[in-house]
Amino acid sequence: MAKPEPRARTVLEPLSYFNLSEQSRAPVRSLAISNVSDSQCLIYLGTQFGGLFLFSVDNKDLNAASASDPSNSPSVPQSIKFVRNVLVGNSSVDYIHVFGEIGKLLVLLDGFLFLVDSLLLQPVKKLSFLRGISVITRRLRSSESECSNLSEGAGSSSEYTSTSQRFLKKLGGGIRANGLKMKESTQHRVGNHVFSVVIGKRLILIEFVLSNRVGKSDQDIDDGSFVILKEIPCIDGVMAMVWLNDSIIVSTLNGYTLFSCVTGQSGVIFSLPDVSSPPRLKLLCKEWNVLLLVDNVGVIANAHGQPVGGSLVFHRDPDSIGEISSYVVVARDGKMELYHKKTGRCIQMVTFGGEGVGGPCIVADEEDGSGKLIVVATPTKVICYRKLPSEEQIKDLLRKKNFKEAISLVEELECEGELSKDMLSFVHAQVGFLLLFDLHFEEAVNHFLQSETMQPSEVFPFIMRDPNRWSLLVPRNRYWGLHPPPAPLEDVVDDGLMAIQRAIFLRKAGVETVVDDAFLLNLPSRDDLLESAIKSVTRYLEVSRDKELTPSVKEGVDTLLMYLYRALNNVNEMEKLVSSANSCVVEELESLLDDSGHLRTLAFLYSSKGMSSKALAIWRILARNYSSGLWKDPSSESSSHCGGTNIISGKETAAAEASKILEESSDSQLVLQHLGWVADINQVFAVQILTSEKRDNQLPPEEVIAAIDPKKVEILQRYLQWLIEDQDSNDTQFHTIYALSLAKSALESFEAEVASKILDPVRREETSISEYRTSAIFQSPVRERLQIFLLSSDLYDPEEVLDLIEGSELWSEKAILYKKLGQEALVLQILALKLEDSEAAEQYCAEIGRPDVYMQLLDMYLDPQDGKEPMFKAAVRLLHNHGESLDPLQVLERLSPDMPLQLASETILRMLRARLHHHRQGRIVHNLARALDTDASLAILEERSRHVQINDESLCDSCHARLGTKLFAMYPDDTIVCYKCFRRQGESTSVTGRNFKQDVLVKPGWLVTR
């Protein structure tokens, strides 16, 4: 069974009431209301003794109604005005149906229908052609597409004359649906004025048609006629009826049955138990459904009788049922209850009379289901209720701290189209502020984030006191005034704690207060609340950064985020924010970060704003004072294991951040100013600065070379290498400087290598450390780099470099330089005698390409000079590889008598064999060439000796004309054309389209075929 919610909200409030005892003591039996205009509503009340009363309510009272209990009549404005009344008959008025658009009422009394005008000014007219009516209902349509036109169906049969119609009336049978059709020329149908009545076991469908005929029949009533559209067999004992679209649902003690007004077929929806309360039906016009009552349970079904949604369980079997907006209203025993259609919850319970009200309570609502009025009548009084505006309902819930229910209500109204999406965002923001002042900061920010209309500037006053740079950006007076004005978070926490203490004191004194008991049981400390507040507001501003904001608001968001991070001492987030694209205002943060010692963060901020000079100055200070309190690196502090590691890491981090700035700077003065201290810490960073491609304009090479410390040779070499190789510099000065620098380093490296062989282990370790550090810039040895450069470049001065290394043992480098200078003999001496690299010497001879060079190299092998032994193996290798290039006689003349006979004979034999081999190879090539020439001549001869026989039947392959004695031509692919086609085709392209100049026709010669 449904129970009223402990935190039920107010949906209906009493608008006015009227004491019926002043006009009539007859009990009320029927009730109906009709909106005449936006400013007036009419109430019709039928009594037990046939009286029909008319009351009027001014809709302007909707805005000034009191919310007091209607049971205390002096507190409720008596704005229901009695207009007039008429006596319809002597028995109970069972039904009142209002046709407001034509100003007519249909009243059912004692089995007869009576037609009354809406203002009760004209005489009551009895419709005597229908009698014995037990139930009446009006047809309502959800849409034109869902309804059939019954008038067209009625018009498909033959027309009746006025006499035959009067005759059927006298028989009491009414006007049969199969027999009546008013002429189109005499009819003017307006709106939906169709209703149905139940007479015994007959269900009769009738339409009230306005007529503009000059001559009126006996049925004409105020320019209108009643047309019986159809008669359908019904069941006995009908107690209630609803007509929606093409479906008519009737109720009896046995259950509910659905009839089709088009086909007349019927079907049982469901049956009722033997012992149950009287069945009731209520048309729910807002969703166009029907409520079927089974005892105290309401089943909602559609027009086809299919259940939709859930059931409504009432407290008791109601006397009457109404509808207003999304709620179903039931009344009984002086109480009225509101149930939500979708959730089935009892939203509100209103008491308007005691248990002894003296009879049933009747509820009437506006026919469209979306009205704002509902009227309840008891035997002694009439009470008018209005639906509280949605905003007022929401405000009431917010005042009671029912935030979840308030949001649910707004979402529900937004889905139903009663409120806009902006209002949902508005309420989320309002709830967020209320929660914030109740110290529920995390929940408050959750609602802020769900609001699409709330501006980030609205939280600025909670962070920085007014006045400030962004005071004018804060929206004013945008909410319902349910919360205090914005104040700094410290004040919010203090005021909130004071309010809690006050509530606790009042509760102990017996005063009921709206306080969260769970929050009171686990009340955090002031520091915890303040930290939670700062973290929550920080989260909101972090999300707000991704929104489309104006530049001034962006500045406020980022700057105040820095204030919050500073309050939390969240250095990582501070540095992350200022290191990325941001809108922080430097003037607002300079003193804050400087005073708090967050110099790293300040340096990042300067860098992000293009203030490179200030940023570099801070990094330089940090690098020099890494061991003092100025240096704070949370990452290194948490991961370090020793002080030395921290020092190195701190200095390198400062240099790394400075290098990032310098890599993008085109200010040569600034770059060279800070290059020195960065290079002292890490030479790799210095190289990255000088060789960066990120800057718009490269640094002047002359100034850079002059600024580099001469002791830091590796930096100079790497910079020159970048100029030459990556920047394609053709300046001979740079090439020469680079070559000389590499040569000096190579000399030092060679001398150090020689000296290291005789040094003690300590010095050897130091040397290895130095080499290791150098390898951070260059991965290859210096001599290798020198040799590669000397070979690849032609722009340096080889003589100058040669002068530098002339007295050294750098023979490979000397060979390259002598080669550049064209000193062939010196190159061969170095390669053959100093380096003893026979392969390189022979390759050099091959590059020169003269035979005498090989003989010169052989002389060097056989007579090395300087007291060295002859290099017979190298000489033999030379003769073996290049003997064909040497004259055997000259070789024999130069062979040394001291050379072993075995080596000499073998060498001479190889030379002779090579000579014979080359001679025979030449003869073979010569003979092959002659054979190819003979083959070509033979092919030409065969082509010239070819002949073709033409007779009278021969045709041109192009125009297909007979050749006869005409001139003709034959192509290499044996196609024949007349001379005319030959002139058109040309001599290179045949009829087949083959171009013999581009696609040569090759025929195998005699060398292949034979």
Side-chain angles (χ1 to χ4, degrees):
M1 180 179 293
K3 295 181 180 180
E5 292 294 322
R7 293 185 176 182
R9 68 174 185 265
T10 302
V11 179
L12 295 180
E13 66 175 3
L15 175 66
S16 55
Y17 88 104
F18 187 85
N19 192 345
L20 294 177
S21 60
E22 300 174 0
Q23 299 295 330
S24 172
R25 296 184 179 278
V28 178
R29 288 292 177 264
S30 57
L31 187 66
I33 62 176
S34 173
N35 273 329
V36 178
S37 64
D38 294 337
S39 61
Q40 188 179 24
C41 178
L42 299 180
I43 301 175
Y44 301 96
L45 187 145
T47 66
Q48 185 176 355
F49 302 127
L52 183 61
F53 290 80
L54 173 62
F55 299 90
S56 174
V57 178
D58 291 335
N59 285 350
K60 63 183 179 180
D61 294 328
L62 291 175
N63 299 324
S66 169
S68 303
D69 189 347
S71 60
N72 301 323
S73 56
S75 63
V76 182
Q78 299 191 31
S79 59
I80 297 182
K81 300 176 182 178
F82 172 74
V83 180
R84 64 183 58 86
N85 71 303
V86 296
L87 185 64
V88 181
N90 297 323
S91 59
S92 174
V93 177
D94 297 324
Y95 291 95
I96 303 174
H97 283 278
V98 183
F99 292 86
E101 57 270 25
I102 59 175
K104 299 294 181 181
L105 303 180
L106 275 180
V107 179
L108 177 61
L109 183 146
D110 196 21
F112 287 94
L113 285 179
F114 295 84
L115 190 64
V116 187
D117 68 290
S118 59
L119 298 178
L120 308 187
L121 295 174
Q122 299 178 4
V124 178
K125 297 187 179 181
K126 182 179 180 180
L127 307 181
S128 58
F129 70 96
L130 294 173
R131 65 182 64 189
I133 300 173
S134 58
V135 182
I136 180 174
T137 190
R138 181 182 175 183
R139 183 188 194 184
L140 294 179
R141 304 182 180 187
S142 61
S143 64
E144 293 295 330
S145 60
E146 297 289 337
C147 301
S148 302
N149 192 343
L150 299 178
S151 300
E152 294 179 358
S156 61
S157 49
S158 60
E159 296 184 4
Y160 279 74
T161 63
S162 179
T163 305
S164 63
Q165 295 169 11
R166 291 196 296 271
F167 175 72
L168 289 173
K169 281 174 54 181
K170 292 179 180 179
L171 293 178
I175 304 174
R176 302 291 180 178
N178 294 332
L180 175 62
K181 177 183 177 183
M182 305 301 292
K183 293 183 180 179
E184 291 296 331
S185 60
T186 62
Q187 291 294 315
H188 177 63
R189 303 183 185 277
V190 290
N192 178 22
H193 308 138
V194 182
F195 61 94
S196 64
V197 298
V198 175
I199 303 176
K201 292 187 178 181
R202 294 180 300 159
L203 179 60
I204 302 174
L205 314 183
I206 305 172
E207 182 178 9
F208 178 58
V209 184
L210 296 181
S211 175
N212 56 3
R213 294 185 301 172
V214 177
K216 301 179 177 60
S217 65
D218 296 339
Q219 286 179 273
D220 295 338
I221 302 174
D222 294 342
D223 294 335
S225 301
F226 288 89
V227 179
I228 296 181
L229 303 175
K230 183 176 291 187
E231 183 177 318
I232 301 172
C234 190
I235 57 180
D236 196 12
V238 175
M239 303 179 67
M241 178 168 56
V242 167
W243 188 357
L244 177 59
N245 297 336
D246 291 342
S247 300
I248 301 175
I249 300 176
V250 300
S251 65
T252 65
L253 291 175
N254 297 325
Y256 295 92
T257 306
L258 184 143
F259 289 86
S260 172
C261 67
V262 179
T263 63
Q265 296 179 350
S266 63
V268 177
I269 299 177
F270 60 82
S271 301
L272 294 176
D274 295 337
V275 180
S276 62
S277 301
R280 300 183 187 278
L281 286 169
K282 173 59 184 175
L283 182 63
L284 306 178
C285 297
K286 184 174 178 62
E287 295 85 10
W288 298 111
N289 292 322
V290 182
L291 181 69
L292 292 73
L293 194 66
V294 182
D295 289 333
N296 66 325
V297 178
V299 180
I300 300 178
N302 58 17
H304 305 290
Q306 300 295 327
V308 291
S311 300
L312 304 179
V313 182
F314 308 125
H315 289 158
R316 63 190 73 185
D317 181 21
D319 291 337
S320 182
I321 305 174
E323 177 193 19
I324 183 168
S325 186
S326 301
Y327 309 98
V328 172
V329 182
V330 296
R332 183 183 175 94
D333 297 335
K335 294 181 180 180
M336 182 173 63
E337 298 170 354
L338 259 75
Y339 291 85
H340 197 280
K341 295 177 187 176
K342 293 183 179 179
T343 64
R345 292 173 51 201
C346 181
I347 302 300
Q348 184 181 5
M349 181 182 294
V350 180
T351 301
F352 50 83
E355 292 291 337
V357 292
C361 303
I362 303 174
V363 180
D365 55 42
E366 299 178 59
E367 194 175 77
D368 57 2
S370 60
K372 298 180 180 180
L373 287 179
I374 195 162
V375 180
V376 181
T378 68
T380 59
K381 55 186 174 182
V382 177
I383 307 169
C384 184
Y385 290 88
R386 71 149 184 172
K387 180 190 174 188
L388 199 65
S390 302
E391 291 188 5
E392 295 300 324
Q393 297 182 44
I394 299 167
K395 289 180 184 179
D396 182 61
L397 290 172
L398 295 180
R399 291 188 188 100
K400 298 176 181 178
K401 307 294 185 182
N402 295 344
F403 301 130
K404 292 183 179 179
E405 189 165 352
I407 294 297
S408 299
L409 175 60
V410 178
E411 291 175 347
E412 172 190 319
L413 295 174
E414 193 258 337
C415 292
E416 295 174 358
E418 295 188 23
L419 291 180
S420 64
K421 193 172 183 181
D422 288 344
M423 177 56 71
L424 177 60
S425 298
F426 176 88
V427 175
H428 270 298
Q430 176 69 87
V431 171
F433 282 112
L434 290 171
L435 287 169
L436 188 142
F437 282 98
D438 285 347
L439 307 185
H440 297 281
F441 302 108
E442 186 174 356
E443 297 177 26
V445 169
N446 290 338
H447 284 282
F448 287 159
L449 294 176
Q450 294 182 68
S451 174
E452 297 180 1
T453 57
M454 180 176 172
Q455 297 297 320
S457 57
E458 295 181 49
V459 302
F460 289 177
F462 294 98
I463 306 170
M464 182 177 288
R465 294 184 183 274
D466 288 334
N468 56 62
R469 181 188 293 262
W470 301 281
S471 296
L472 297 178
L473 299 177
V474 181
R476 306 295 182 184
N477 300 325
R478 293 190 58 229
Y479 297 98
W480 289 327
L482 300 179
H483 62 269
L489 292 175
E490 296 88 343
D491 297 347
V492 172
V493 172
D494 293 338
D495 294 343
L497 290 175
M498 290 180 61
I500 291 174
Q501 295 298 329
R502 189 182 307 113
I504 294 174
F505 175 78
L506 292 174
R507 178 169 292 186
K508 290 180 180 179
V511 180
E512 186 63 29
T513 56
V514 183
V515 181
D516 189 350
D517 295 333
F519 186 66
L520 285 179
L521 293 175
N522 299 286
L523 185 63
S525 64
R526 181 185 184 279
D527 293 340
D528 292 340
L529 286 172
L530 186 57
E531 182 180 359
S532 175
I534 295 174
K535 287 182 177 178
S536 299
V537 177
T538 299
R539 178 163 62 94
Y540 175 71
L541 292 182
E542 287 174 344
V543 177
S544 300
R545 295 193 73 216
D546 299 330
K547 297 180 180 179
E548 293 291 335
L549 304 175
T550 60
S552 56
V553 175
K554 285 183 179 179
E555 290 179 356
V557 170
D558 287 356
T559 305
L560 296 180
L561 255 180
M562 288 294 294
Y563 272 85
L564 296 174
Y565 288 147
R566 170 64 189 87
L568 296 172
N569 198 26
N570 194 339
V571 179
N572 289 332
E573 291 299 330
M574 291 170 64
E575 295 182 358
K576 180 179 178 182
L577 175 59
V578 297
S579 298
S580 59
N582 64 83
S583 302
C584 294
V585 179
V586 178
E587 294 80 2
E588 294 284 339
L589 298 174
E590 267 183 320
S591 59
L592 175 72
L593 298 176
D594 195 3
D595 296 342
S596 62
H598 292 91
L599 295 184
R600 274 172 53 91
T601 306
L602 184 57
F604 285 127
L605 177 61
Y606 283 144
S607 177
S608 66
K609 297 304 177 182
M611 306 169 71
S612 302
S613 179
K614 290 187 176 182
L616 291 170
I618 293 179
W619 288 121
R620 188 170 188 173
I621 292 172
L622 292 175
R624 291 179 177 179
N625 300 277
Y626 54 86
S627 59
S628 67
L630 293 176
W631 178 255
K632 297 179 181 179
D633 187 357
S635 59
S636 64
E637 290 177 3
S638 60
S639 61
S640 64
H641 299 285
C642 63
T645 304
N646 262 342
I647 292 173
I648 296 175
S649 174
K651 296 176 64 174
E652 297 246 348
T653 302
E657 297 298 337
S659 67
K660 292 178 183 178
I661 301 173
L662 295 173
E663 286 175 18
E664 299 179 359
S665 176
S666 299
D667 186 349
S668 59
Q669 183 177 359
L670 180 66
V671 173
L672 299 180
Q673 176 187 353
H674 293 275
L675 180 66
W677 68 267
V678 174
D680 291 340
I681 297 173
N682 192 311
Q683 296 188 16
V684 175
F685 293 155
V687 170
Q688 292 174 356
I689 294 170
L690 297 177
T691 61
S692 173
E693 301 284 350
K694 299 177 182 179
R695 57 175 58 96
D696 297 330
N697 300 315
Q698 292 300 330
L699 306 176
E702 295 82 2
E703 296 182 11
V704 174
I705 294 173
I708 296 176
D709 187 352
K711 297 180 181 179
K712 297 180 174 61
V713 180
E714 295 83 0
I715 298 177
L716 175 63
Q717 293 176 359
R718 181 65 186 90
Y719 176 69
L720 291 171
Q721 182 186 22
W722 174 76
L723 280 179
I724 295 170
E725 297 180 2
D726 296 344
Q727 300 299 308
D728 298 327
S729 174
N730 294 324
D731 193 322
T732 57
Q733 179 183 359
F734 297 152
H735 282 251
T736 302
I737 293 174
Y738 183 44
L740 291 173
S741 178
L742 287 175
K744 292 178 182 178
S745 298
L747 286 172
E748 294 173 359
S749 176
F750 181 78
E751 294 173 358
E753 183 180 355
V754 173
S756 64
K757 297 179 181 179
I758 57 176
L759 288 178
D760 58 332
V762 176
R763 181 66 181 275
R764 188 177 302 176
E765 183 179 355
E766 293 177 357
T767 305
S768 63
I769 292 175
S770 176
E771 292 176 355
Y772 173 77
R773 290 179 180 175
T774 304
S775 64
I777 298 179
F778 296 105
Q779 300 299 324
S780 57
V782 62
R783 291 194 62 183
E784 180 181 343
R785 287 183 278 118
L786 174 61
Q787 294 171 12
I788 293 173
F789 178 72
L790 293 178
L791 286 171
S792 60
S793 176
D794 296 325
L795 299 178
Y796 61 91
D797 186 354
E799 294 183 355
E800 192 171 350
V801 180
L802 190 59
D803 291 341
L804 180 63
I805 64 172
E806 184 66 38
S808 68
E809 298 293 326
L810 303 180
W811 297 111
S812 298
E813 292 77 0
K814 291 180 181 180
I816 298 172
L817 293 172
Y818 283 130
K819 188 186 298 184
K820 294 284 185 181
L821 295 173
Q823 302 287 340
E824 298 175 359
L826 294 176
V827 174
L828 286 177
Q829 286 181 4
I830 293 173
L831 294 177
L833 303 181
K834 298 294 182 180
L835 300 177
E836 297 183 359
D837 189 349
S838 302
E839 183 177 356
E842 294 174 10
Q843 183 179 356
Y844 180 64
C845 293
E847 292 175 4
I848 296 174
R850 299 195 311 273
D852 63 299
V853 180
Y854 290 105
M855 188 60 66
Q856 186 178 0
L857 179 60
L858 181 61
D859 290 340
M860 292 181 184
Y861 285 148
L862 296 178
D863 187 11
Q865 303 295 330
D866 296 334
K868 294 184 65 175
E869 296 292 331
M871 303 170 64
F872 294 127
K873 291 184 178 181
V876 170
R877 170 191 168 91
L878 176 64
L879 294 174
H880 175 73
N881 293 333
H882 304 282
E884 69 277 4
S885 301
L886 299 173
D887 187 350
L889 294 177
Q890 293 181 4
V891 171
L892 290 175
E893 291 177 358
R894 284 172 171 76
L895 285 179
S896 172
D898 299 331
M899 187 174 182
L901 181 60
Q902 183 178 0
L903 291 176
S905 61
E906 184 178 353
T907 300
I908 295 172
L909 182 60
R910 287 178 181 175
M911 291 176 59
L912 294 176
R913 286 175 179 174
R915 283 282 183 174
L916 180 61
H917 173 69
H918 285 296
H919 173 73
R920 290 176 177 175
Q921 270 189 334
R923 297 301 301 171
I924 292 172
V925 171
H926 174 72
N927 291 331
L928 285 174
R930 290 188 61 187
L932 290 175
D933 181 68
T934 303
D935 183 39
S937 300
L938 181 61
I940 293 173
L941 180 62
E942 288 182 355
E943 287 296 320
R944 289 178 176 176
S945 62
R946 276 200 310 160
H947 64 277
V948 61
Q949 183 176 0
I950 301 297
N951 53 34
D952 294 340
E953 300 298 327
S954 299
L955 300 178
C956 173
D957 289 336
S958 177
C959 63
H960 304 291
R962 295 184 181 274
L963 294 177
T965 58
K966 296 180 182 179
L967 290 175
F968 65 92
M970 184 174 66
Y971 289 98
D973 59 355
D974 298 334
T975 56
I976 301 173
V977 295
C978 62
Y979 187 73
K980 182 178 180 181
C981 294
F982 173 74
R983 292 286 301 273
R984 186 179 69 253
Q985 290 285 126
E987 61 182 15
S988 61
T989 305
S990 69
V991 180
T992 60
R994 183 170 183 174
N995 190 327
F996 297 103
K997 290 184 178 180
Q998 298 177 358
D999 186 9
V1000 179
L1001 181 65
V1002 178
K1003 295 184 178 181
W1006 65 273
L1007 276 176
V1008 179
T1009 56
R1010 291 164 176 76

